[in-house]
Amino acid sequence: MGWYMVKSGLENNFEDPNDIPRVSQYRLASHLSLAFVLYTLFLWSALDHLIPAQAMDTVQKSATRFRALAHGCKGMVFLTAISGAFVAGLDAGLVYNTFPKMADRWMPDDILALSPMLKNFTENPTTVQFDHRILGISTLSLISGMWLLSKRRKLPPRAYAAANAIAAMAWMQVGLGITTLLTYVPVSVAALHQSGSLVLLSLAVWLTHELKHVKLPKKIV
C-alpha cells in the first residue's frame, strides 16, 4: 500500500522542474488506516504481555457502559486521524486559516461546490477541512465527557490514569491542530499534530485495554 500511494504521486507528467508530486488522498488515507490498524494490534498484544489488564471483583453495569463509551472514543480518534489524511492530501489546511469561523462564516459558501455532492467530502478542500474541524471538536467533547464520567464509575485502578491521560492529550491535540491552522501549516507544527494523533490513539487503546475485563458475568440458565 505504501508503494501504491507513492506511485500515485509519480503518475502525472511533470512539465516544469518546479512541479511538486502529489499523492492521492485516497491512497494516503488507506495507507495511514492500515498503519494505524497494524500499530493498534501490535500495541494491544504488547500491553497483554507487559501490563496485563487488572481484573475486578465486582463489575457494575455502569462500568460496562463506560467501557462501550471508551471504545466509541477510540473509534472517533481513529476516524478523525483518517480525516486528517485527507486534509494533508489536499493541502486543505491552507484554505481557511481562521478559527473558530472559516473566513468570518461558520459554514463557507464553497462547502458543497463540487458535483455530485458526496464528492465534496473527499475532494473539496473546504469540506474536508470543515469535516476535520467537526470531527476534532466532537472527539474532544466525547473524550471530555468520558473523563467526567470516569470520576463516577468504579473502574480498574490504572483505567483512571488512562482516562486522565487521554483527556489531557485530547486537549493538547486540538490545541496543536488550531495552532497548525492559524500558523499556515508549518512543517514542524504539522508533524507534531500528526504525531499527536498517534499518541492519542495509543492512549485510547491503553484505556480500552485496561477495561477489557469489565464485563458482566454471564448468567447460567
Side-chain angles (χ1 to χ4, degrees):
M1 180 56 74
W3 166 242
Y4 186 58
M5 177 194 71
V6 172
K7 183 173 178 288
S8 68
L10 304 175
E11 291 174 345
N12 296 324
N13 294 321
F14 300 106
E15 299 178 356
D16 189 280
N18 296 320
D19 286 345
I20 301 174
R22 297 291 182 187
V23 299
S24 163
Q25 70 271 26
Y26 297 103
R27 300 185 193 183
L28 176 61
S30 299
H31 183 50
L32 183 65
S33 299
L34 285 175
F36 273 16
V37 168
L38 283 173
Y39 171 79
T40 298
L41 293 174
F42 287 141
L43 178 58
W44 188 276
S45 179
L47 291 172
D48 275 338
H49 289 85
L50 298 175
I51 46 173
Q54 299 165 309
M56 295 179 64
D57 295 331
T58 58
V59 176
Q60 299 175 349
K61 192 173 182 179
S62 60
T64 62
R65 288 196 291 264
F66 181 85
R67 177 173 175 264
L69 177 60
H71 279 287
C73 287
K74 181 173 64 177
M76 284 295 291
V77 170
F78 179 84
L79 183 61
T80 305
I82 301 310
S83 78
F86 282 93
V87 172
L90 291 170
D91 283 336
L94 296 172
V95 291
Y96 287 97
N97 296 93
T98 56
F99 189 87
K101 292 184 178 181
M102 300 173 73
D104 296 325
R105 296 179 66 90
W106 291 109
M107 188 172 292
D109 294 330
D110 57 339
I111 197 168
L112 295 176
L114 303 182
S115 182
M117 186 181 69
L118 289 178
K119 195 175 183 181
N120 289 280
F121 294 96
T122 54
E123 297 185 16
N124 184 341
T126 298
T127 313
V128 167
Q129 188 194 118
F130 180 81
D131 290 345
H132 192 59
R133 289 179 182 226
I134 296 300
L135 283 170
I137 294 170
S138 299
T139 302
L140 176 63
S141 301
L142 192 62
I143 290 175
S144 298
M146 181 189 67
W147 176 76
L148 290 173
L149 283 176
S150 72
K151 306 303 179 184
R152 305 177 183 179
R153 301 291 184 267
K154 184 179 180 182
L155 305 172
R158 285 199 303 263
Y160 294 106
N164 290 337
I166 189 175
M169 187 62 211
W171 280 93
M172 188 180 302
Q173 176 67 353
V174 170
L176 278 171
I178 295 171
T179 302
T180 303
L181 187 69
L182 297 180
T183 54
Y184 293 86
V185 199
V187 174
S188 57
V189 182
L192 280 174
H193 183 51
Q194 290 177 337
S195 301
S197 67
L198 184 61
V199 174
L200 189 59
L201 180 63
S202 301
L203 293 173
V205 171
W206 177 34
L207 175 59
T208 52
H209 184 270
E210 291 297 337
L211 299 171
K212 67 181 293 187
H213 296 309
V214 178
K215 300 176 183 178
L216 292 175
K218 294 182 179 179
K219 294 181 180 180
I220 301 176
V221 180

